[in-house]
Amino acid sequence: MYRIGFACKFTHHDQSLKKKQLEEIERPYRPRITTARWLDQQDQHVAEQRLKDLITHNVAATARLVAWVGQYERELRMLRIGSDLLPMYTHPTWKQFYADNPSFMAGIQDQFRRIGATAREKDVRISFHPGQFTVLASDRPDVVENSIEEFEYHADMLRWMGYGREFQDAKCNVHISGKLGPQGIIDILPRLSEVARNVITIENDEMSYGLDASLELADHLALVIDVHHNWVMTGEYLDPNDERVKAVIASWRGKRPTMHYSLSREDLLIDHCADTRPDMDKLLEQGYKKQKLRAHSDYMWNRACNKWAAGFLDNFDIMVESKAKNLASFKLYNEIK
């Protein structure tokens, strides 16, 4: 049984509603953020109360979102949770707030435990994707330290939800990122907590470290194929039976792999036939730039690509990376079904 998931943000099905109406409907399912600059300008008590209010809202919003995803057909019960649940958790100035409020955080951790319990009860596959500033393979020690701290922040949330107890019971995905490349990732793994090592995955990117670089890590952690990144880098549409794909599957050690799927924006390839897969060489000859082709579309508009991506579903769950979020993943599911 395959799954098709979406990333981070709930989007209401009727986008023709007025902006205020949409905000009222979507707000209970979406996290809210603040900035260090705003907090620094406030009285200490005001700033700390703001953090508490945001954290309380964000965790409750995530609980609602996980429960909402749990109501859908099993094939759609897959969700990437956003990274902004606990604002300033790793910020040099404000991270002390979390240590100084143990009673408040005990209540928050209990809510995380309930989120995890709901996800398991409803059979929702969850994951995280720390931001691109998480550069574990950097050649700068300060960047590495900050990146480890950021990754462990996500591992903390998964730990509180009851994940990270065994290899790939949840996924926390990053790029290789950094001048030290695959060896840098290998060298950093012993410094991660057991939970972090159990949940970490590495995906190929479209500019620096492609699928071949990822495969250097296959004996150390689980790998995620991003088929759009691979296409942007090489122009290749991977065959689901390719030996490299089989090596990625093996890296999951019997657990079901996840792949990432996206398309170039429909407002970039305006006149492109939806029943023909875009040809990278032809697009470059026509003057298109890879930098533009990298950007994600709103919906999975290309039926030929969707048919190709569906060929991976025997062995992979698909995380749809698109601007329309759940609306795009639902539409793709209905097309494939």
Side-chain angles (χ1 to χ4, degrees):
M1 183 74 76
Y2 65 80
R3 296 173 196 253
I4 296 175
F6 70 96
C8 303
K9 189 167 66 174
F10 164 78
T11 302
H12 184 58
H13 68 274
D14 187 356
Q15 291 294 295
S16 66
L17 296 175
K18 293 182 179 179
K19 183 178 179 181
K20 186 175 181 180
Q21 289 179 291
L22 281 173
E23 288 177 350
E24 290 176 353
I25 294 170
E26 295 173 345
R27 187 182 301 117
Y29 298 92
R30 292 187 174 189
R32 296 155 58 190
I33 61 174
T34 188
T35 64
R37 181 179 180 181
W38 186 91
L39 293 172
D40 290 341
Q41 293 173 344
Q42 310 306 312
D43 174 81
Q44 183 76 12
H45 174 75
V46 172
E48 291 191 358
Q49 187 58 52
R50 176 62 172 170
L51 279 176
K52 289 181 179 179
D53 291 344
L54 289 174
I55 293 164
T56 300
H57 167 83
N58 291 350
V59 176
T62 302
R64 283 189 285 267
L65 183 56
V66 171
W68 175 77
V69 172
Q71 297 176 7
Y72 281 84
E73 296 178 55
R74 184 181 181 277
E75 292 90 342
L76 290 167
R77 296 181 192 178
M78 184 177 178
L79 170 68
R80 178 189 297 167
I81 299 174
S83 295
D84 299 327
L85 304 192
L86 305 182
M88 308 297 156
Y89 192 82
T90 62
H91 190 275
T93 300
W94 288 99
K95 63 184 178 182
Q96 188 60 36
F97 162 84
Y98 290 91
D100 291 342
N101 291 274
S103 178
F104 172 75
M105 285 307 299
I108 293 299
Q109 291 176 30
D110 184 62
Q111 292 182 56
F112 271 104
R113 282 191 286 272
R114 295 179 186 180
I115 292 171
T118 298
R120 287 183 287 275
E121 177 190 350
K122 302 292 187 181
D123 198 18
V124 177
R125 186 173 189 180
I126 64 170
S127 64
F128 282 108
H129 194 334
Q132 293 187 2
F133 52 84
T134 306
V135 186
L136 292 171
S138 174
D139 60 341
R140 291 177 48 188
D142 59 324
V143 173
V144 172
E145 294 302 321
N146 291 337
S147 298
I148 291 175
E149 187 175 24
E150 185 67 19
F151 195 89
E152 292 290 355
Y153 155 51
H154 293 80
D156 282 346
M157 291 189 284
L158 287 169
R159 181 185 298 109
W160 298 335
M161 285 189 277
Y163 295 104
R165 296 176 179 177
E166 60 182 38
F167 180 78
Q168 283 306 311
D169 57 2
K171 161 177 161 275
C172 191
N173 184 71
V174 289
H175 297 227
I176 292 177
S177 296
K179 291 184 179 180
L180 299 183
Q183 188 60 48
I185 299 294
I186 293 170
D187 292 341
I188 212 68
L189 288 176
R191 298 188 56 195
L192 299 180
S193 66
E194 181 180 5
V195 168
R197 292 195 303 273
N198 277 337
V199 301
I200 188 172
T201 63
I202 292 289
E203 72 169 293
N204 56 295
D205 68 37
E206 69 274 49
M207 301 300 290
S208 302
Y209 296 104
L211 182 54
D212 289 341
S214 292
L215 289 171
E216 295 180 37
L217 300 170
D219 293 334
H220 301 273
L221 44 74
L223 302 177
V224 170
I225 295 178
D226 188 308
V227 293
H228 183 63
H229 287 173
N230 185 72
W231 177 77
V232 171
M233 175 174 272
T234 68
E236 172 190 28
Y237 287 95
L238 276 169
D239 188 314
N241 296 310
D242 190 291
E243 291 301 317
R244 293 167 294 172
V245 175
K246 293 178 181 178
V248 168
I249 295 171
S251 75
W252 286 76
R253 307 177 198 174
K255 297 296 180 72
R256 185 168 172 84
T258 295
M259 61 176 268
H260 294 173
Y261 176 44
S262 52
L263 296 173
S264 299
R265 289 192 59 83
E266 49 267 85
D267 60 359
L268 178 67
L269 302 179
I270 297 173
D271 297 321
H272 198 286
C273 175
D275 293 309
T276 303
R277 294 185 301 193
D279 184 299
M280 177 60 73
D281 290 337
K282 290 181 179 179
L283 291 174
L284 294 178
E285 289 174 3
Q286 293 168 16
Y288 289 94
K289 304 298 183 183
K290 283 193 175 185
Q291 183 67 27
K292 295 288 187 180
L293 293 167
R294 293 168 63 190
H296 296 167
S297 61
D298 292 337
Y299 289 89
M300 316 317 289
W301 58 272
N302 190 283
R303 290 184 291 271
C305 286
N306 294 343
K307 184 177 180 180
W308 161 70
F312 287 85
L313 287 172
D314 285 345
N315 294 303
F316 290 84
D317 291 341
I318 294 179
M319 173 57 67
V320 174
E321 297 184 318
S322 63
K323 302 298 184 183
K325 304 301 182 181
N326 49 291
L327 303 187
S329 63
F330 292 176
K331 188 173 182 180
L332 174 64
Y333 168 64
N334 286 326
E335 180 178 327
I336 289 174
K337 185 176 67 169

